[in-house]
């Protein structure tokens, strides 16, 4: 076609996308998730799941960006991670592409707990690979743990559904509302706002080119709404008690 048909429609008449507001966990629910998650008996699989969920919550990264990480992307000393890759699926196989959805690389920061989980996970991973005489030439942080024969004897990436299934079952088991893995990204953004993190810093953390995109991710916590009412109430009470 020679031109975009949408250009013929007046701007105020053009259809706009309808975003379905997806929930996040409130304070009490997130508290249960974290406590139950870190109460599970430690083994290689447990640490892997804890690391992925917590890393998503602390960095706000997309699931594909986390799955594409390699050990060289982690700066343990400075507590930071370089996000420059994402995953895609081809012929039913998860592969890495050297770009993110936002098209530009960025730095995200992690805390001591995340660093500790990374160290533990690396130790378990090394043991698992050595036991099966497998190599990890791409130094993937998250690898597929399968019993199927692997002729190449090289570690492969898991699919996105791997952690989605874990999270779904975990939430159901502990009586928590269903959220998807992407909601962990919304959670990171929303709790950052609740803790007075500047919007520009949140935009940078999420890797958004536009602040308007970042705003779509934000949810107002019940605690913040109650604090807002309390602040208004105090202001109004002060005004009413002032001498005229």
């Amino acid at each position: 076609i020679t031109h975009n048909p949408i250009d013929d429609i007046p701007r105020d008449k053009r259809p706009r996308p309808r975003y379905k507001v997806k929930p996040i966990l409130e304070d009490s629910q997130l508290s249960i998730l974290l406590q139950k998650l870190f109460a599970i008996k430690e083994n290689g699989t447990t640490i892997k799941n804890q690391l992925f969920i917590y890393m998503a919550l602390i960095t706000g990264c997309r699931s594909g960006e986390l799955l594409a990480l390699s050990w060289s992307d982690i700066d343990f000393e400075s507590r930071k991670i370089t996000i420059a890759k994402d995953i895609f699926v081809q012929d039913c196989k998860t592969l890495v592409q050297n770009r993110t959805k936002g098209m530009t690389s960025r730095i995200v920061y992690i805390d001591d707990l995340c660093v500790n989980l990374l160290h533990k996970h690396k130790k378990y991973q090394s043991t698992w690979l050595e036991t099966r005489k497998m190599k990890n030439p791409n130094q993937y942080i998250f690898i597929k743990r399968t019993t199927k024969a692997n002729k190449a004897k090289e570690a492969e990436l898991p699919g996105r559904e791997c952690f989605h299934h874990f999270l779904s079952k975990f939430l159901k088991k502990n009586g928590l509302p269903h959220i998807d893995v992407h909601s962990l990204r919304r959670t990171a953004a929303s709790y950052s706002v609740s803790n007075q993190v500047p919007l520009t810093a949140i935009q940078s953390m999420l890797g958004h080119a536009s602040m308007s995109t970042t705003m779509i991710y934000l949810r107002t916590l019940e605690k913040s709404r109650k604090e807002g009412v309390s602040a208004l109430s105090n202001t109004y009470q002060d005004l009413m008690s002032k001498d005229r």
Side-chain angles (χ1 to χ4, degrees), residues 194-241:
S194 181
N195 286 281
Q196 287 79 53
V197 176
L199 285 174
T200 50
I202 298 172
Q203 178 188 0
S204 177
M205 175 182 74
L206 298 180
H208 289 152
S210 170
M211 181 64 76
S212 60
T213 305
T214 302
M215 297 303 292
I216 295 172
Y217 278 70
L218 303 182
R219 305 287 182 270
T220 304
L221 298 171
E222 183 179 1
K223 177 183 176 182
S224 297
R225 294 196 296 271
K226 289 180 178 179
E227 289 174 349
V229 170
S230 179
L232 285 174
S233 176
N234 291 336
T235 298
Y236 297 155
Q237 293 298 322
D238 287 344
L239 291 172
M240 286 189 286
S241 63

Side-chain angles (χ1 to χ4, degrees), residues 5 19 88 93 140 175 213 242:
Y19 295 103
F88 69 101
K93 187 175 182 180
Y140 296 138
T213 305
K242 281 186 175 182

Side-chain angles (χ1 to χ4, degrees), residues 24-31 57 185-197 202 218-219 221 223:
I24 63 171
L25 299 180
E26 296 288 347
D27 291 55
S28 59
Q29 297 166 335
L30 185 58
S31 175
L57 286 170
R185 181 166 158 83
R186 300 185 195 96
T187 299
S190 299
Y191 277 82
S192 293
V193 168
S194 181
N195 286 281
Q196 287 79 53
V197 176
I202 298 172
L218 303 182
R219 305 287 182 270
L221 298 171
K223 177 183 176 182

Side-chain angles (χ1 to χ4, degrees), residues 21-39:
V21 178
K22 295 185 177 181
I24 63 171
L25 299 180
E26 296 288 347
D27 291 55
S28 59
Q29 297 166 335
L30 185 58
S31 175
I32 293 172
L33 182 149
L34 290 170
Q35 289 178 23
K36 295 290 186 181
L37 180 65
F38 287 100

Side-chain angles (χ1 to χ4, degrees), residues 8 22 30 33 36 63 70 77 83 132 136 232 235:
D8 299 330
K22 295 185 177 181
L30 185 58
L33 182 149
K36 295 290 186 181
S63 60
S70 56
E77 185 175 346
I83 305 297
R132 287 155 183 79
N136 187 12
L232 285 174
T235 298

